[in-house]
């Protein structure tokens, strides 16, 4: 029986609690206050905002027994943020965007592990494998590279949808109109890979359409959209040279 | 019984054929050569590459009877490309990215209609409504604005996935790792709207992470990624001011 204490009240903490709660060989608590933490748990998962991690870690220092592991769940905080807290420290980073009240297939969520010893890494890997079949090792450098890639894949793509939403609203059109197209684009990229799924005027090197779109954005005084349109179109053309 | 002839052998043509084929009050043909077209059809849908539309239109000129409608299915070609072909011309533009061998829910695909008379617009709208419940009117200007928005929503987002894929591969990581995150981002934006779903360092105005990512991209000599990272992060920050 593995005893796990989860520290934090946010979305990641509540999803981790839910994921572990259904496992018969895990005994889990997610107390409301630090003073309710158990003193003899095998694993303490600190799942709080990045800047609160050192504060929580400091408070844990006096409370955990010497064989316990203290790990945080952040993609961007280095393992060294837990230095001095206890003998066994690690990172237990689930790569997903968690929302309240949304059911997720936990077994598909990648979890990235780092530990300050081989033993810690093995124990964290074993715990993560209880809830996910996509567990791998990643040190701070690898986590940062993953994070950069996820900024491009998720944060930036979502913002492009925001820009399109505003543009369509300005012209009396509805963003929802584009949802079937967005869904199908996502499906194609996930099945065939994004490079071979690229469509649009830039990949066809259709200079007539590219110029017409830029002129239109200029006429409408949308310099931000124009800059983004030009930069991304050039990037598409350089990644897909004219045949 | 509406007689429809579809001209073209590409994905749009074959999906339109499929969508109409199941309708009992439509009689549809999609012949291999122009000489096999019927002469008395109600509607001719020209579904060929943009630059081939005037060529096909010219060949149709002598063949269609005076009450027929000739319409193209392009989002970017103006209605005027069909001037002089016959009395009744129009545009029948399904907004979707079509792939061979992929089943689509046709009733959800938006179709945008334009006609050179109210009568043509009504007839095209009626035909489109047979296969889709999302039929609306859109002239060339509106179609261009939709196209610009779909370039942002689909072509550019797909390219950001390509950039992330290349970056991950360079670091021994797998783009597939990010798929659950991409799917969840898409789902959230479609349910709650993209602006309120925005996550990441830029929307949090987390300058520490933004600087660390830019430094990393500079160290790795990725000027293209650096430019895109900076431009899109600035745009996110200006659309989501610091609270």
């Amino acid at each position: 029986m593995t005893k796990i204490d989860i520290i934090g009240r946010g979305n990641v903490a509540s999803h981790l609690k839910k994921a572990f709660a259904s496992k018969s060989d895990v005994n889990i608590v997610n107390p409301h206050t630090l003073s309710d933490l158990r003193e003899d748990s095998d694993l303490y998962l600190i799942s709080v905002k990045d800047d609160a991690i050192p504060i929580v870690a400091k408070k844990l220092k006096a409370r955990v027994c010497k064989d316990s592991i203290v790990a945080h769940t952040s993609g961007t905080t280095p393992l060294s943020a837990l230095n001095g807290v206890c003998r066994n420290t690690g990172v237990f980073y689930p790569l997903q965007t968690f929302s309240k009240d949304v059911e997720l297939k936990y077994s598909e969520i990648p979890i990235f592990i780092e530990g300050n010893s081989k033993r810690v890494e093995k124990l964290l890997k074993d715990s993560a494998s209880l809830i996910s079949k996509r567990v791998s090792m990643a040190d701070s450098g690898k986590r940062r590279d993953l994070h950069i890639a996820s900024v491009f894949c998720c944060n930036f793509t979502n913002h492009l949808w925001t820009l399109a939403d505003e543009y369509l609203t300005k012209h009396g059109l509805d963003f929802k109109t584009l949802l079937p197209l967005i869904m199908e684009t996502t499906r194609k990229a996930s099945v065939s890979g994004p490079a071979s799924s690229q469509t649009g005027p830039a990949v066809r090197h259709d200079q007539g359409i590219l110029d017409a779109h830029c002129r239109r954005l200029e006429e409408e005084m949308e310099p931000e959209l124009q800059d983004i349109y030009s930069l991304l179109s050039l990037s598409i053309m350089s990644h897909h040279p004219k045949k």
Side-chain angles (χ1 to χ4, degrees), chain A residues 44-168:
Chain A
Y44 297 84
L45 287 176
I46 305 179
S47 187
V48 298
K49 285 198 173 141
D50 285 351
D51 49 6
I53 293 173
I55 304 164
V56 171
K58 217 170 170 181
K59 289 187 181 165
L60 273 184
K61 196 176 170 174
R63 304 183 52 85
V64 304
C65 74
K66 74 176 174 45
D67 286 331
S68 305
I69 298 172
V70 173
H72 70 67
T73 63
S74 162
T76 50
T77 301
L79 174 58
S80 58
L82 301 177
N83 279 355
V85 173
C86 64
R87 197 201 293 171
N88 307 306
T89 58
V91 179
F92 184 106
Y93 169 47
L95 182 68
Q96 181 56 291
T97 171
F98 294 96
S99 315
K100 270 214 154 57
D101 308 321
V102 172
E103 288 294 327
L104 290 169
K105 235 182 153 178
Y106 297 112
S107 63
E108 297 296 332
I109 296 175
I111 299 177
F112 293 92
I113 297 297
E114 183 181 7
N116 70 341
S117 71
K118 288 282 161 208
R119 185 185 150 265
V120 170
E121 287 184 347
K122 190 188 172 312
L123 288 169
L124 286 175
K125 211 170 168 177
D126 290 347
S127 301
S129 301
L130 292 172
I131 55 173
S132 167
K133 56 186 184 193
R134 296 175 183 270
V135 181
S136 33
M137 309 304 301
D139 61 13
S140 295
K142 222 161 204 175
R143 282 200 307 279
R144 183 198 42 207
D145 292 336
L146 268 171
H147 192 211
I148 291 175
S150 76
V151 166
F152 278 84
C153 279
C154 300
N155 306 155
F156 288 167
T157 56
N158 186 76
H159 183 59
L160 293 174
W161 296 330
T162 300
L163 296 176
D165 188 356
E166 290 176 3
Y167 185 79
L168 289 168

Side-chain angles (χ1 to χ4, degrees), chain A residues 4-7 17 27-31 36-38 41:
Chain A
I4 303 178
D5 283 28
I6 297 177
I7 302 149
K17 180 184 167 184
N27 177 316
I28 196 147
V29 301
N30 179 211
D36 292 332
L37 286 173
R38 294 177 291 195
S41 281

